[in-house]
């Protein structure tokens, strides 16, 4: 049986969640099941659970993303959670940040095919683009790295008083506790574990929210950010 044949029909909840973009969500699921598997972006075993475990699991993140903000999806991979979020929320301006060329090629194809005009694909690592990309209100991530390491990449990309929303699994509470000191040094002022997707996904999607104060990244990144900004201005003058 091929990976394509294993893609199940979209569940009824998907129609409610994606609304007018339901057909685009189906096309994205097909692309993940076909090109995504062929290019090694997702494993073939994930195809039968693409809707529940991946698309819907990511789309419900929209419940905790404020209206009309800028978002950077760090380590976007095959576009999760960035693309489901973009399908649900056209009010957002989303950057899909991914270092690997084969993944950014796939993301660019998906964005163009689905007409996601409010989405930009950027190739690079979070630590490399700091100062080059405008700071964002919200950083999202899923299955990228343990929370403490993810925070060192994601938090410095935030604007003052922004927030990082990381989709996590059963270990969310433990990760948050063990990362408390690191998060504090990075300028975090409030942390919480949220459960979203009531009536849509079971189990609910678990989100770690890290809110920052006026210095995202803390003292350590303030000088780095200023240096990156100066370098950017020098390049533009040339």
């Amino acid at each position: 049986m091929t990976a394509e044949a294993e893609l199940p029909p979209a569940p009824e909840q998907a129609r409610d969640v994606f609304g007018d973009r339901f057909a685009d969500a189906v096309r994205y699921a097909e692309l993940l099941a076909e090109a995504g598997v062929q290019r090694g972006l997702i494993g073939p075993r994930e195809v039968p659970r693409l809707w529940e475990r991946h698309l819907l699991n990511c789309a419900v993140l929209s419940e905790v993303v404020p209206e009309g903000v800028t978002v950077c999806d760090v380590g976007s991979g095959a576009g999760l959670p960035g693309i489901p979020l973009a399908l649900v929320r056209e009010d957002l301006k989303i950057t899909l940040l991914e270092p690997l060329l084969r993944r950014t090629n796939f993301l660019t194809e998906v964005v163009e095919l689905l007409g996601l005009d409010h989405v930009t694909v950027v190739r690079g690592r979070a630590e490399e683009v700091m100062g080059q990309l405008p700071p964002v209100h919200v950083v999202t991530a899923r299955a990228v790295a343990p929370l403490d390491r993810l925070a060192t990449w994601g938090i410095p990309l935030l604007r003052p008083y922004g927030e990082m929303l990381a989709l996590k699994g059963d270990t969310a509470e433990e990760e948050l506790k063990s990362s408390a000191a690191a998060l504090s040094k990075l300028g975090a002022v409030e942390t919480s574990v949220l459960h979203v997707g009531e009536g849509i996904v079971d189990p609910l999607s678990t989100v770690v929210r890290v809110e920052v104060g006026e210095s995202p990244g803390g003292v350590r990144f303030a000088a780095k950010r200023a240096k990156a900004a100066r370098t950017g201005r020098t390049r533009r003058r040339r």
Side-chain angles (χ1 to χ4, degrees):
M1 191 180 285
T2 65
E4 183 180 352
E6 291 172 8
L7 178 65
E12 271 309 306
Q13 299 96 309
R15 290 183 182 276
D16 298 332
V17 170
F18 291 105
D20 293 343
R21 284 284 196 169
F22 173 69
D24 290 326
V26 171
R27 187 69 191 110
Y28 177 50
E30 291 169 349
L31 289 165
L32 286 173
E34 297 158 14
V37 171
Q38 290 161 11
R39 300 187 198 181
L41 304 181
I42 66 162
R45 290 181 182 177
E46 295 304 311
V47 173
R49 49 188 188 177
L50 265 178
W51 283 105
E52 287 81 2
R53 186 181 170 89
H54 298 287
L55 273 77
L56 289 172
N57 178 274
C58 290
V60 296
L61 182 63
S62 66
E63 293 178 18
V64 290
V65 177
E67 284 186 30
V69 297
T70 52
V71 178
C72 183
D73 189 31
V74 172
S76 196
L80 301 163
I83 288 176
L85 186 60
L87 288 169
V88 175
R89 297 283 300 278
E90 296 193 35
D91 60 300
L92 305 175
K93 279 190 147 341
I94 300 177
T95 299
L96 306 179
L97 181 62
E98 169 55 48
L100 294 184
L101 181 61
R102 65 189 167 90
R103 292 177 181 167
T104 53
N105 285 343
F106 175 78
L107 293 173
T108 301
E109 290 165 23
V110 171
V111 166
E112 290 175 358
L113 187 68
L114 302 185
L116 298 173
D117 299 333
H118 56 307
V119 177
T120 304
V121 178
V122 173
R123 186 183 174 201
R125 298 182 185 281
E127 58 269 37
E128 296 167 350
V129 301
M130 190 179 65
Q132 298 172 29
L133 292 181
V136 295
H137 297 93
V138 176
V139 162
T140 59
R142 178 182 189 249
V144 173
L147 188 61
D148 54 352
R149 202 183 325 152
L150 173 63
T152 64
W153 301 332
I155 286 179
L157 300 178
L158 289 170
R159 303 166 47 130
Y161 307 104
E163 60 187 330
M164 183 175 76
L165 299 170
L167 279 160
K168 288 286 183 181
D170 298 337
T171 60
E173 296 275 6
E174 292 166 34
E175 278 197 65
L176 198 48
K177 281 178 188 170
S178 63
S179 304
L183 292 173
S184 180
K185 284 181 184 174
L186 288 165
V189 293
E190 191 82 34
T191 61
S192 51
V193 175
L194 313 171
H195 299 283
V196 295
E198 183 74 48
I200 298 166
V201 289
D202 184 18
L204 298 178
S205 297
T206 302
V207 181
V208 173
R209 173 188 262 159
V210 179
E211 299 170 72
V212 299
E214 60 183 23
S215 300
V219 177
R220 180 180 159 203
F221 283 93
K224 201 171 178 181
R225 191 182 288 105
K227 183 181 177 184
R230 284 197 302 274
T231 304
R233 284 197 296 272
T234 304
R235 282 181 186 149
R236 283 195 292 275
R237 282 200 293 270
R238 287 177 188 164

